[in-house]
Amino acid sequence: MASDNFPTGTAGLAPSVETPVVDLSDGDEFDLTIAPVTKEIDGNTLRMLAYNGSIPGPTLRVKQGSEILVNVRNEGDLEATVHWHGLRLDNRYDGTHETQAPIPVGGDFTYRIEFPDPGVYWYHPHIREDYGQELGLYGNILVEPAETGYWPPAHREVALTLDDILIEDGQVAAFSHHGPSHVAMGRFGETMLIGGETEASVEVKRGEVVRFFFTDTANTRVFRVGFAGATMKLVGGDSGHVEREEIVEDVILAPSERVVVDVLFDTPGEAVLEHRTPETTYRLALVTVSEEEAEPLDFEPLRVNADLVAERDRVAPYLEAEPDKTLSFVAEMNMPSVEGETGIFACPMHPEIVASWEGKCPKCGMKLMPAGPEVAAPTEYACPMHPEITATWAGECPKCGMTLRATGSGEPEDHEHHHDHGHAHDATGGIEWEDDMVEVNRETTTANTQWFFVDKDTGDRGHAIDWRFRVGDQVKLRLVNEMDSDHPMHHPFHVHGAGRFLVLSRDGVAEPNLVWKDTVLVRTGETVDILLDVTNPGIWMAHCHIAEHHESGMMFSFTVEP
């Protein structure tokens, strides 16, 4: 009898190989094969998927303005496409099920890829993205600028992917053929991966400047990375250099975002690349700095890039303009009843929040879920007019709207929580750094949890959204991450290759440092305005880049006419 899950067996599979860097010239062809491999992670031999046998796949290095052919062979577990993330290219080669017939197992497809913009990009699946990315299908593309001096001076460049993986019982945690699990928050891994490994090591000379191209390839995890023992300068983002270079302690990347930093290692000894959350610091890479001195480079200047200064002047009138389109981000959860259900409800993320009705958590805004018999009925607060309405906090009675009054019993929750930004009242800054409701998240599927976009002007949802633009349009989009949702959380919003965009403002505050982008992190409760520069005709997708949200329906397509 066939299993409902994708295979996990490793018999007869070749081990993964080191990720190569492949230099390609204009007009070159490159063969890319999807196939299973084995990989050792934390003492476990795992069945994974790879491009050309390596995890990450080959790093492709090309020149701005070049064009190549990539011949993809699918020897994987299911039909596939390859999406060329962030590249403005011919719509036929975007790599989605709307722009091509999926590549069957045993089949082939040739992509014609263009590179009009400098920066760091990546490639990954666009069918069951949750499964393919978790198992290792991702790789970087470095596009060398045509302009001399586009980047500040550095001794060398290193591309690194930031990822995590969920391992259970010595295998990658199961994936069903029928669809994703962990739909509420996305699949968080418990093992961090950098460049596909649990720890990277780099050796440098004293005074060496290394340019790191970081890409967040995780299904859902947001990374905040910085170096202990070195000086880091922000120089670029998704699609090229930033308006103003700046010295930073750390940088935040949501899934699919890229950040470019130059790092000066000026003290012999060790420096550590860390992922820093409000509660935990994870060590990702060790850099050994020798006493030998590197050839001197002038690291100190913080350059201002004229092209983006000009863009700031150009987009200024759009700051106060009304948006052309407004999207809301919303979740609906309809979890099944629990055994021994008592009519009591609790927050999966804050179990101290308990009520006698299906309300919202005052701490995070999440819909309260049916609680099991082990959860006692709350007695701390009650409605004077409807004494059967009780809770552990001074909420509002769902029957009459009165504020619940303290009863003098139990230990009431002492807090003043307002939903300006969900978690922004504390150190999390509107970001879910970890899976705070592991068991509930595991049980969420597309059958009980749906994520979707809503066009606030028409009320259309998801695939019903019908936007039409023309090449040359400048489209102001307002992205509203609603607190009135069954699970408010952050979302990385990604626009495919119809163009690229600039972030105009966040909650009405102008973006202080412009950079061309294809993905923007919209934090819990936040409103972000972006200006999309429409350049390429075709049918293009926009979606949340939390893989499980995308797979559950948090996406739509729009049309660009020539």
Side-chain angles (χ1 to χ4, degrees):
M1 180 177 176
S3 170
D4 285 340
N5 296 333
F6 284 102
T8 56
T10 58
L13 298 180
S16 61
V17 299
E18 185 176 347
T19 298
V21 177
V22 180
D23 289 297
L24 296 169
S25 300
D26 185 32
D28 280 354
E29 290 195 35
F30 182 68
D31 294 333
L32 192 69
T33 298
I34 302 166
V37 296
T38 62
K39 187 170 179 63
E40 298 288 329
I41 297 178
D42 275 352
N44 302 293
T45 302
L46 306 176
R47 184 190 192 278
M48 300 186 71
L49 293 171
Y51 292 118
N52 286 8
S54 68
I55 300 174
T59 298
L60 309 183
R61 193 159 56 192
V62 298
K63 295 188 183 304
Q64 182 182 359
S66 63
E67 182 180 289
I68 64 172
L69 296 178
V70 180
N71 305 309
V72 175
R73 175 76 177 171
N74 181 15
E75 298 293 350
D77 298 332
L78 73 164
E79 62 184 13
T81 63
V82 179
H83 172 53
W84 307 92
H85 186 112
L87 294 176
R88 297 188 292 161
L89 75 178
D90 187 324
N91 185 238
R92 293 174 295 172
Y93 305 115
D94 187 44
T96 78
H97 66 276
E98 292 186 338
T99 60
Q100 69 172 90
I103 310 168
V105 175
D108 305 271
F109 187 84
T110 296
Y111 294 90
R112 184 180 297 274
I113 311 300
E114 305 162 65
F115 306 98
D117 307 304
V120 54
Y121 305 90
W122 64 299
Y123 55 96
H124 61 79
H126 223 275
I127 293 175
R128 286 303 302 270
E129 187 175 321
D130 62 312
Y131 173 63
Q133 275 184 215
E134 177 81 348
L135 265 72
L137 290 178
Y138 51 84
N140 269 134
I141 304 168
L142 300 182
V143 182
E144 297 181 5
E147 176 188 337
T148 302
Y150 181 87
W151 298 116
H155 291 96
R156 56 173 152 154
E157 298 179 338
V158 177
L160 287 175
T161 55
L162 306 171
D163 198 6
D164 62 7
I165 189 168
L166 184 59
I167 300 171
E168 295 178 346
D169 300 324
Q171 300 176 336
V172 178
F175 281 89
S176 170
H177 286 287
H178 302 298
S181 59
H182 300 82
V183 168
M185 296 181 68
R187 179 184 287 230
F188 281 87
E190 295 179 348
T191 300
M192 303 298 141
L193 298 177
I194 180 163
E197 304 297 331
T198 53
E199 183 172 286
S201 60
V202 181
E203 295 183 357
V204 301
K205 298 176 182 178
R206 179 181 183 180
E208 189 168 348
V209 177
V210 181
R211 177 164 302 125
F212 288 94
F213 296 93
F214 291 124
T215 304
D216 185 343
T217 60
N219 281 26
T220 192
R221 185 178 294 277
V222 176
F223 283 88
R224 185 170 73 187
V225 293
F227 283 89
T231 304
M232 187 165 75
K233 178 166 63 175
L234 174 66
V235 299
D238 284 356
S239 191
H241 57 202
V242 294
E243 179 185 12
R244 290 176 170 81
E245 297 171 1
E246 55 183 313
I247 300 299
V248 294
E249 288 295 319
D250 43 46
V251 291
I252 291 177
L253 299 88
S256 87
E257 283 191 303
R258 285 89 66 208
V259 169
V260 188
V261 294
D262 287 358
V263 183
L264 170 64
F265 299 96
D266 56 358
T267 304
E270 293 182 346
V272 179
L273 176 62
E274 299 172 334
H275 165 43
R276 301 162 179 166
T277 78
E279 295 185 355
T280 307
T281 297
Y282 298 89
R283 172 169 152 157
L284 301 178
L286 177 66
V287 181
T288 303
V289 185
S290 71
E291 294 280 358
E292 182 182 356
E293 293 200 6
E295 180 182 344
L297 286 181
D298 195 358
F299 178 80
E300 289 188 2
L302 299 177
R303 306 188 314 174
V304 177
N305 290 306
D307 56 336
L308 284 161
V309 172
E311 288 296 331
R312 181 172 294 280
D313 292 338
R314 181 183 73 83
V315 305
Y318 292 96
L319 286 172
E320 300 302 326
E322 289 299 309
D324 298 298
K325 304 288 185 182
T326 301
L327 276 182
S328 287
F329 301 2
V330 180
E332 288 183 354
M333 300 180 71
N334 295 286
M335 298 300 291
S337 301
V338 299
E339 186 175 349
E341 189 173 319
T342 61
I344 301 302
F345 300 85
C347 176
M349 299 181 69
H350 300 96
E352 69 276 13
I353 298 298
V354 183
S356 62
W357 76 98
E358 192 179 30
K360 298 268 189 175
C361 175
K363 291 188 173 182
C364 67
M366 187 172 175
K367 178 181 180 180
L368 303 186
M369 298 293 169
E374 72 281 1
V375 178
T379 59
E380 291 84 350
Y381 291 89
C383 174
M385 298 184 67
H386 301 94
E388 71 277 14
I389 299 298
T390 61
T392 56
W393 80 100
E396 288 187 357
C397 175
K399 292 186 176 182
C400 67
M402 276 192 74
T403 299
L404 305 190
R405 305 287 177 82
T407 63
S409 66
E411 295 183 6
E413 273 295 297
D414 181 19
H415 61 267
E416 293 291 336
H417 289 282
H418 306 283
H419 289 172
D420 295 334
H421 269 198
H423 295 286
H425 63 270
D426 59 26
T428 63
I431 295 171
E432 302 289 359
W433 296 101
E434 306 284 356
D435 188 345
D436 292 326
M437 51 176 206
V438 174
E439 294 307 318
V440 171
N441 190 31
R442 184 193 305 274
E443 297 302 318
T444 53
T445 68
T446 55
N448 55 44
T449 303
Q450 289 80 43
W451 288 99
F452 48 86
F453 296 117
V454 180
D455 182 331
K456 294 198 77 169
D457 298 320
T458 66
D460 291 336
R461 293 183 174 193
H463 292 290
I465 294 173
D466 185 20
W467 290 357
R468 296 179 180 273
F469 308 126
R470 289 193 174 276
V471 169
D473 284 350
Q474 302 292 299
V475 183
K476 181 175 180 178
L477 303 180
R478 177 159 292 166
L479 310 174
V480 182
N481 195 350
E482 301 282 3
M483 287 304 300
D484 187 14
S485 171
D486 286 351
H487 181 56
M489 69 174 290
H490 65 267
H491 297 281
F493 178 76
H494 171 54
V495 180
H496 281 222
R500 53 185 182 169
F501 62 79
L502 296 169
V503 176
L504 295 175
S505 64
R506 299 173 188 269
D507 288 334
V509 178
E511 187 76 353
N513 198 357
L514 297 179
V515 64
W516 285 109
K517 293 186 67 62
D518 55 72
T519 306
V520 59
L521 172 62
V522 186
R523 301 179 188 223
T524 307
E526 189 176 43
T527 296
V528 175
D529 287 350
I530 66 174
L531 187 68
L532 177 65
D533 179 23
V534 181
T535 59
N536 290 37
I539 299 173
W540 301 99
M541 282 189 179
H543 61 88
C544 175
H545 220 286
I546 293 175
E548 290 75 15
H549 292 184
H550 169 211
E551 291 294 330
S552 77
M554 200 173 190
M555 60 162 290
F556 67 99
S557 297
F558 61 95
T559 301
V560 176
E561 301 291 344

